[in-house]
Amino acid sequence: MQLLGFSASQVHPLATLDAAQDFLSGNAAARFVWADFATDEVAPAPGAWRDGLMALTGSPILDLHLADATNPAHPSFFDTTNAYDMVIFRKLTFETSRQFAEADAAPAEAGAPGTAPASSAPAAGTPPMPGPRKAARKYPAGFLPALARIDTQPVTFFVFDNVLVTVRPSPSRTVDQVRQRLLDTCGAPPPSTGRTNGSASLLHGVRPPTRPEDLMLRLLNAMVDRYLDLRTPLTRQLDRWQRALLSARQSFSSWEGLLDARIQLRRLENLSEEQRDALQEFRDSLLDNRYSTGDADASAANRDEVLLVRLTDLMEHILRVLAHARRLEDSIESAVQIHFSAVAHRTNRTMRALTIITALFMPLTLITGVFGMNFARMPWLQDPNGFWWSIGLMGGVVATIAGIWVLGRWLDK
């Protein structure tokens, strides 16, 4: 469990739920509290976890939403109640991000396209990679099957008026980096040096979020950025598949691996569509609440406007992931079509050469068949130069046919 309290200009680490409740009730500058929980902390006793959290949130979490928060297979989803909004967003697993980073860095280090280091081992809970013999049947030599390892996990957000509750798998590098970035830039007391870390690009600016929805959008933006980071390794992997498909030196036989790639791209496309639908419903809910309460509070209307702008920008990022997945899928389809066209072209060239040879030898076969007849008297049979006359006749026939083809440009078609 990780607790952070947010005031107007600072972020305060909190130790317990009671301390978080005291922070909200005893601090006039307090705005909201972020309570971050791992799924392992919630799943063993969801009811007890909800009861302990209710003193902080002021309202209980519904049983159905509690079951959804602990369901590792739940898709991206949005729902709302009178007390809180619930958003489930599927993020990339840490293992997926690590393996894609290795896939992108391996060609430069190992000298082979997409070859992963032999010491890399899958994390606990991830499906085992195929053995060397099985991988050799599915993937070309020197290719890392990165597309077969896109895996996601759900992160659940419960957005109350002054509390943001997150339930996510552990470990979560994205959530940890966002928290550390908030502590480094807005912690109490403020840092004396301009210390930054690798998560500097996860947040926009150094101001602490002003409301739970703002923090949730920053976390979602960091998660979507992980999907955007996949574009380069995905594109490189697909380029290798296309080169293997169009290679004239060896025939392509890794159709099972290519099918896995198309399945994973379709899965990424479906994930993006589900994420966009969930955020679209969240946006509609914000708009409904805004128009139902009116414009009496101008400052609240301005905050909602900023929140809607950030939400629109986040949805645009998801659409970029969706569009990229569709482009890659179209590229695979085009490469497959070009592959079969190239195979058909090579087959046609082979058949053309065989047809030319057959057409040239057919009249020669006719001549040899005539002279092979068992007649008592035939021209040139008793002639000492008969053999050479027959050879000359065969050569003349071949030259005549070849000349007709050359003059008619039949060989150029």
Short mmCIF file of all heavy atoms in Angstrom, two decimals, residues 95 98-99 102 106 109-110 115-123 129 144:
data_model
loop_
_atom_site.label_atom_id
_atom_site.label_comp_id
_atom_site.label_asym_id
_atom_site.label_seq_id
_atom_site.Cartn_x
_atom_site.Cartn_y
_atom_site.Cartn_z
N GLU A 95 7.10 -7.30 -18.01
CA GLU A 95 7.85 -8.28 -18.80
C GLU A 95 7.74 -7.98 -20.28
O GLU A 95 8.71 -8.11 -21.03
CB GLU A 95 7.33 -9.69 -18.49
CG GLU A 95 8.06 -10.81 -19.23
CD GLU A 95 9.50 -10.96 -18.79
OE1 GLU A 95 9.85 -10.41 -17.72
OE2 GLU A 95 10.26 -11.62 -19.50
N ARG A 98 10.05 -5.08 -21.08
CA ARG A 98 11.46 -5.48 -21.04
C ARG A 98 11.84 -6.29 -22.27
O ARG A 98 12.90 -6.08 -22.86
CB ARG A 98 11.71 -6.30 -19.77
CG ARG A 98 13.17 -6.72 -19.59
CD ARG A 98 13.32 -7.64 -18.40
NE ARG A 98 12.67 -8.91 -18.64
CZ ARG A 98 13.21 -9.91 -19.34
NH1 ARG A 98 14.40 -9.75 -19.88
NH2 ARG A 98 12.56 -11.03 -19.51
N GLN A 99 10.98 -7.20 -22.67
CA GLN A 99 11.31 -8.06 -23.81
C GLN A 99 11.34 -7.26 -25.10
O GLN A 99 12.16 -7.52 -25.98
CB GLN A 99 10.31 -9.20 -23.88
CG GLN A 99 10.48 -10.23 -22.77
CD GLN A 99 9.34 -11.23 -22.72
OE1 GLN A 99 8.28 -11.00 -23.29
NE2 GLN A 99 9.54 -12.33 -22.03
N GLU A 102 14.62 -5.46 -25.17
CA GLU A 102 15.69 -6.37 -25.57
C GLU A 102 15.63 -6.68 -27.06
O GLU A 102 16.65 -6.77 -27.73
CB GLU A 102 15.59 -7.67 -24.76
CG GLU A 102 15.93 -7.51 -23.29
CD GLU A 102 15.81 -8.83 -22.54
OE1 GLU A 102 15.37 -9.81 -23.17
OE2 GLU A 102 16.14 -8.85 -21.34
N ALA A 106 18.82 -5.88 -29.27
CA ALA A 106 19.60 -7.08 -29.59
C ALA A 106 20.29 -7.02 -30.94
O ALA A 106 21.43 -7.48 -31.05
CB ALA A 106 18.72 -8.32 -29.51
N GLU A 109 23.61 -5.30 -30.66
CA GLU A 109 24.57 -5.93 -29.75
C GLU A 109 25.06 -7.28 -30.27
O GLU A 109 26.23 -7.60 -30.19
CB GLU A 109 23.91 -6.11 -28.38
CG GLU A 109 23.56 -4.79 -27.70
CD GLU A 109 22.84 -5.01 -26.39
OE1 GLU A 109 22.59 -6.20 -26.07
OE2 GLU A 109 22.53 -4.03 -25.70
N ALA A 110 24.13 -8.07 -30.79
CA ALA A 110 24.48 -9.44 -31.18
C ALA A 110 24.83 -9.57 -32.64
O ALA A 110 25.38 -10.58 -33.06
CB ALA A 110 23.33 -10.39 -30.85
N THR A 115 17.86 -11.07 -32.24
CA THR A 115 18.31 -12.16 -31.40
C THR A 115 18.42 -11.68 -29.97
O THR A 115 19.17 -10.76 -29.68
CB THR A 115 19.67 -12.69 -31.87
OG1 THR A 115 19.55 -13.06 -33.24
CG2 THR A 115 20.09 -13.90 -31.05
N ALA A 116 17.69 -12.28 -29.08
CA ALA A 116 17.70 -11.88 -27.68
C ALA A 116 18.87 -12.51 -26.95
O ALA A 116 19.35 -13.58 -27.33
CB ALA A 116 16.39 -12.29 -27.01
N PRO A 117 19.37 -11.86 -25.87
CA PRO A 117 20.42 -12.46 -25.08
C PRO A 117 19.98 -13.78 -24.49
O PRO A 117 18.83 -13.96 -24.09
CB PRO A 117 20.68 -11.41 -23.98
CG PRO A 117 20.16 -10.12 -24.54
CD PRO A 117 19.02 -10.51 -25.42
N ALA A 118 20.89 -14.72 -24.42
CA ALA A 118 20.55 -16.05 -23.94
C ALA A 118 20.24 -16.06 -22.45
O ALA A 118 19.59 -16.95 -21.95
CB ALA A 118 21.70 -17.02 -24.23
N SER A 119 20.72 -15.02 -21.71
CA SER A 119 20.52 -15.01 -20.27
C SER A 119 19.18 -14.46 -19.85
O SER A 119 18.85 -14.47 -18.68
CB SER A 119 21.62 -14.18 -19.61
OG SER A 119 21.58 -12.85 -20.10
N SER A 120 18.39 -13.90 -20.78
CA SER A 120 17.10 -13.32 -20.40
C SER A 120 16.13 -14.42 -20.07
O SER A 120 15.93 -15.35 -20.82
CB SER A 120 16.54 -12.47 -21.55
OG SER A 120 16.34 -13.27 -22.68
N ALA A 121 15.52 -14.32 -18.88
CA ALA A 121 14.57 -15.33 -18.41
C ALA A 121 13.23 -14.69 -18.21
O ALA A 121 13.13 -13.56 -17.75
CB ALA A 121 15.06 -15.93 -17.08
N PRO A 122 12.13 -15.37 -18.53
CA PRO A 122 10.81 -14.80 -18.35
C PRO A 122 10.47 -14.63 -16.89
O PRO A 122 10.90 -15.41 -16.04
CB PRO A 122 9.88 -15.82 -19.03
CG PRO A 122 10.65 -17.09 -19.02
CD PRO A 122 12.08 -16.71 -19.11
N ALA A 123 9.69 -13.59 -16.58
CA ALA A 123 9.28 -13.34 -15.22
C ALA A 123 8.23 -14.36 -14.79
O ALA A 123 7.63 -15.05 -15.60
CB ALA A 123 8.73 -11.91 -15.08
N MET A 129 8.50 -19.42 -23.05
CA MET A 129 8.81 -19.27 -24.46
C MET A 129 9.01 -20.65 -25.08
O MET A 129 9.40 -21.59 -24.41
CB MET A 129 10.08 -18.44 -24.64
CG MET A 129 9.86 -16.97 -24.30
SD MET A 129 8.59 -16.25 -25.35
CE MET A 129 9.36 -16.46 -26.94
N LEU A 144 13.49 -12.66 -33.37
CA LEU A 144 12.89 -12.77 -32.05
C LEU A 144 11.38 -12.64 -32.17
O LEU A 144 10.90 -11.65 -32.71
CB LEU A 144 13.44 -11.67 -31.14
CG LEU A 144 12.91 -11.67 -29.70
CD1 LEU A 144 13.42 -12.90 -28.98
CD2 LEU A 144 13.33 -10.41 -28.97
#
